[in-house]
Amino acid sequence: MLNIVLFGAPGAGKGTQAKKLVEKFHLAHLSTGDLLRGEIAASTDLGKLAAETINRGELAPDGMVIAMIAVYIDKAANASGFIFDGFPRTSLQAIALDRMLEERSMKVSGMFALEVENDELIHRLQLRGKISGRMDDQSTEIIEHRIKVYHKKTEPIIHYYSAQGKYFPVQGQGAEDEVFARLNEAIFKIWRSQISS
Ligand code: ADP
């Protein structure tokens, strides 16, 4: 089973690359951002709670996101693996994911981190805001705040995975296909070592 954590700052290209990986490896794609936006669009209680924090560029509460992801892991119980996109985003979420997977006799195969410089992230999110209509992509102030939150609360998770020998940085700048090729190479290495072990 291949369980991938696709990691990176807002605008690093996680969603774009996740779609390509799903086609190639036939994994279930769990994006907490997409799931939360789905809740907001459906005006559920959870969505109403989430909207306020997301639109300010803050993270949704850990408990909410962890409970939500558990439900979707179980919904896709027959999948041959998962791509976790935008999750975990805090140390608490990383620990919770390991526990959740362990309870289901699974584990994270690797955390693949798309590395993109701050200026490029801001540029990409400003562009996306023009076409996506996403509230959190509309103002440069909120975009910059999300990147700050990433460096403060999310980036430290790298140490958590690197201590387990599961951290694999991937250069996220350049054309989409070039990034995909680099990501593929890194994932294939892990996949091969999993098969031979
Ligand atoms: P991006 O990577 O561009 O920020 P996402 O779609 O992954 O886009 O996330 C959008 C927003 O949803 C985040 O800024 C955050 O408010 C919320 N969110 C997504 N995933 C999580 C998570 N794992 N924990 C807390 N909040 C989350």
Side-chain angles (χ1 to χ4, degrees), residues 38 57 65 91 136 161 166 174:
V65 181
S91 304
D136 55 349
Y161 286 102
K166 291 183 179 174

Side-chain angles (χ1 to χ4, degrees), residues 8-12 14 31-34 36-37 50 53-55 57-62 65 85-90 93 125 128 134 136-137 146:
K14 300 182 295 289
S31 155
T32 41
D34 285 350
L36 289 168
R37 279 186 291 278
T53 42
I54 291 181
N55 294 345
E58 293 292 339
L59 296 182
D62 281 331
V65 181
D85 162 2
F87 180 88
R89 242 175 165 102
T90 62
Q93 291 180 19
L125 292 173
R128 186 173 76 184
R134 265 177 59 168
D136 55 349
D137 286 343
R146 283 159 61 206

Side-chain angles (χ1 to χ4, degrees), residues 23-41:
E23 275 174 33
K24 179 136 192 178
F25 293 95
H26 307 288
L27 304 170
H29 177 204
L30 293 187
S31 155
T32 41
D34 285 350
L35 294 176
L36 289 168
R37 279 186 291 278
E39 298 284 340
I40 293 172

Side-chain angles (χ1 to χ4, degrees), residues 107-123:
K107 59 178 193 300
V108 169
S109 311
M111 183 258 232
F112 299 87
L114 295 171
E115 297 194 315
V116 176
E117 282 167 20
N118 276 3
D119 287 352
E120 171 73 9
L121 295 172
I122 294 169
H123 177 67

Side-chain angles (χ1 to χ4, degrees), residues 50-173:
E52 197 258 336
T53 42
I54 291 181
N55 294 345
R56 277 191 292 125
E58 293 292 339
L59 296 182
D62 281 331
M64 174 196 284
V65 181
I66 291 166
M68 189 177 72
I69 207 95
V71 169
Y72 282 90
I73 289 177
D74 290 333
K75 270 192 185 169
N78 294 327
S80 59
F82 291 91
I83 298 181
F84 297 98
D85 162 2
F87 180 88
R89 242 175 165 102
T90 62
S91 304
L92 217 127
Q93 291 180 19
I95 294 165
L97 177 62
D98 272 355
R99 199 175 310 135
M100 258 185 270
L101 293 180
E102 205 182 315
E103 281 166 10
R104 292 160 177 84
S105 305
M106 300 189 278
K107 59 178 193 300
V108 169
S109 311
M111 183 258 232
F112 299 87
L114 295 171
E115 297 194 315
V116 176
E117 282 167 20
N118 276 3
D119 287 352
E120 171 73 9
L121 295 172
I122 294 169
H123 177 67
R124 287 184 187 180
L125 292 173
Q126 284 172 332
L127 275 183
R128 186 173 76 184
K130 290 192 182 132
I131 35 174
S132 73
R134 265 177 59 168
M135 291 295 288
D136 55 349
D137 286 343
Q138 298 307 314
S139 108
T140 303
E141 207 185 324
I142 292 179
I143 288 174
E144 284 175 346
H145 184 67
R146 283 159 61 206
I147 294 172
K148 214 155 108 193
V149 169
Y150 165 78
H151 289 302
K152 191 163 167 226
K153 297 193 175 159
T154 306
E155 211 170 26
I157 306 180
I158 287 178
H159 303 296
Y160 180 80
Y161 286 102
S162 106
Q164 298 183 28
K166 291 183 179 174
Y167 163 59
F168 305 99
V170 174
Q171 168 59 263
Q173 298 197 174

